[in-house]
Amino acid sequence: DARERGHAGYQFFTPAIQNRIQRAIAIEQKLRQGIEQNEFELHYQPVVDTRSRRIVGAEALIRWPQANGEVMQPDEFIQVAEANGVINQLGAWVIQEACRQVRQWRMQGMPPLRIAVNVSPIQFRSRNFYQCVADALAASGIDPNCLELEVTESAVMKQVDEASQTLSSLKNLGLQISLDDFGTGYSSLSRLARLPFDKLKVDQSFIRNIDTDSRSLAIAETVIALGKRLGVKVVAEGIETEAAFNLLRKCDCDLGQGYLLSKPMPAEQFRQWHQEHMLAVS
Ligand code: C2E
Ligand code: MG
Ligand code: MG
Ligand code: MG
């Protein structure tokens, strides 16, 4: 009971919140070491053309294997990394590693694939972000067109002129920009028109129920149509069923990813999956 624990007869935090705080502190302490000791991995989730089912690329998603054999998921540590500033270092590693992997796959004879990397809003707004990307491209020597940066509304909608300039200079490097989790953040349609991006990713919360809920379908259809009218490609994330996949094709959605096709996989497994998948659809 709270009276026994707190001197003043009350508690500041419930045990559940206390637990979360303690976990965050523990993660914060391990993060720096994790980066120095190269403990992180990227997994790759295929992105396919909805009409042909051909694979056009993948999204790189960070994973943190733990000593006890468990794998920590980004939802648990990205926020902590953002709060203590380590995200810039971690985010730089993600971009370098994705570029390195693109080059390795090319050297292994795979056809060119476009790999999308998630960018934290804090990382996007940091002073050296442009240079970080330019350096990673130069160091790896890959075709910049094989790299895509996923930014969220919260990264680009606030200081829209500044964000727009950053995006333009990044695009001048030859890479692609996509707007991730579209519809879930702080969006403004008037600002959307001023931002240079190549792709719109419809958040999985809109896709999840399109085969059972007419309102979800209405929203998904409208967002897809909006993307088309803006002249950008539209990607649906979180496709879990054939029914959803078919509906998206009918709505003329260009690209899709989701557990129906594959969960994110380690790099080598992705390469094998890619080989088998290419045979299956050709
Ligand atoms: P996101 O960028 O929207 O990535 C999509 C998330 O949905 C991934 O979760 C993916 O595994 C999951 N997903 C894909 N298909 C399905 C599906 O059919 N059903 C369901 N239920 N889920 C699906 P993940 O890997 O746990 O990543 C969560 C979020 O963490 C990402 O959302 C992204 O915002 C962030 N994140 C991941 N990797 C990075 C990174 O390298 N840097 C930064 N800054 N953020 C990252
Ligand atoms: Mg993403
Ligand atoms: Mg997303
Ligand atoms: Mg998300």
Side-chain angles (χ1 to χ4, degrees):
D1 147 76
R3 228 173 312 159
E4 288 157 19
R5 273 179 251 141
H7 289 291
Y10 58 84
Q11 282 182 291
F12 286 109
F13 302 116
T14 64
I17 293 177
Q18 234 160 26
N19 239 327
R20 278 183 48 191
I21 293 172
Q22 266 157 17
R23 232 187 127 84
I25 291 170
I27 290 170
E28 171 160 10
Q29 285 166 347
K30 287 197 307 176
L31 263 171
R32 276 172 219 281
Q33 196 193 336
I35 295 171
E36 274 156 26
Q37 308 200 343
N38 208 17
E39 292 175 0
F40 294 88
E41 281 176 14
L42 294 182
H43 286 196
Y44 297 87
Q45 183 177 40
V47 176
V48 305
D49 179 305
T50 53
R51 280 161 285 271
S52 63
R53 285 211 185 212
R54 272 176 185 280
I55 179 166
V56 298
E59 177 173 6
L61 295 152
I62 195 167
R63 299 288 180 265
W64 190 8
Q66 300 295 298
N68 65 6
E70 282 172 21
V71 177
M72 205 189 283
Q73 303 294 310
D75 285 335
E76 230 183 309
F77 60 87
I78 290 291
Q79 274 182 17
V80 181
E82 286 174 339
N84 74 1
V86 174
I87 192 65
N88 289 331
Q89 217 183 327
L90 190 60
W93 176 83
V94 171
I95 293 171
Q96 287 156 20
E97 173 60 15
C99 291
R100 188 202 62 74
Q101 190 62 67
V102 166
R103 191 176 69 136
Q104 184 179 331
W105 280 332
R106 288 295 283 146
M107 293 194 322
Q108 288 173 331
M110 280 169 82
L113 293 171
R114 180 174 290 135
I115 303 302
V117 165
N118 291 283
V119 175
S120 153
I122 292 170
Q123 183 189 1
F124 179 78
R125 286 193 288 260
S126 79
R127 202 153 265 300
N128 59 359
F129 182 60
Y130 171 86
Q131 201 54 49
C132 164
V133 177
D135 289 349
L137 284 171
S140 64
I142 65 165
D143 177 354
N145 195 29
C146 288
L147 181 66
E148 175 176 322
L149 299 178
E150 296 193 358
V151 297
T152 55
E153 292 159 335
S154 56
V156 295
M157 289 289 180
K158 279 171 202 157
Q159 282 153 326
V160 74
D161 292 324
E162 228 175 292
S164 180
Q165 265 180 24
T166 307
L167 292 176
S168 295
S169 46
L170 287 166
K171 275 172 62 66
N172 283 337
L173 289 170
L175 52 76
Q176 298 244 309
I177 303 287
S178 64
L179 202 51
D180 200 2
D181 303 342
F182 183 72
T184 61
Y186 170 79
S187 336
S188 142
L189 294 178
S190 63
R191 288 176 189 172
L192 188 67
R194 283 152 61 195
L195 288 163
F197 59 94
D198 308 284
K199 249 183 212 175
L200 221 162
K201 297 193 81 169
V202 187
D203 191 68
Q204 47 182 289
S205 55
F206 301 118
I207 304 300
R208 194 170 301 134
N209 303 315
I210 55 170
D211 47 340
T212 52
D213 172 28
S214 62
R215 295 170 71 96
S216 292
L217 179 60
I219 291 175
E221 273 175 342
T222 307
V223 173
I224 291 164
L226 172 66
K228 300 248 126 185
R229 293 283 283 120
L230 289 173
V232 301
K233 294 249 182 223
V234 183
V235 192
E237 18 178 49
I239 306 174
E240 293 188 352
T241 63
E242 266 321 318
F245 193 77
N246 287 332
L247 279 169
L248 288 163
R249 241 194 339 241
K250 272 193 204 138
C251 301
D252 217 18
C253 183
D254 306 289
L255 303 167
Q257 62 184 97
Y259 293 170
L260 173 70
L261 297 146
S262 170
K263 288 196 168 181
M265 299 169 271
E268 180 54 22
Q269 198 183 324
F270 176 85
R271 192 179 69 83
Q272 285 166 21
W273 188 93
H274 175 268
Q275 253 174 0
E276 287 158 22
H277 184 81
M278 289 294 277
L279 289 174
V281 297
S282 63

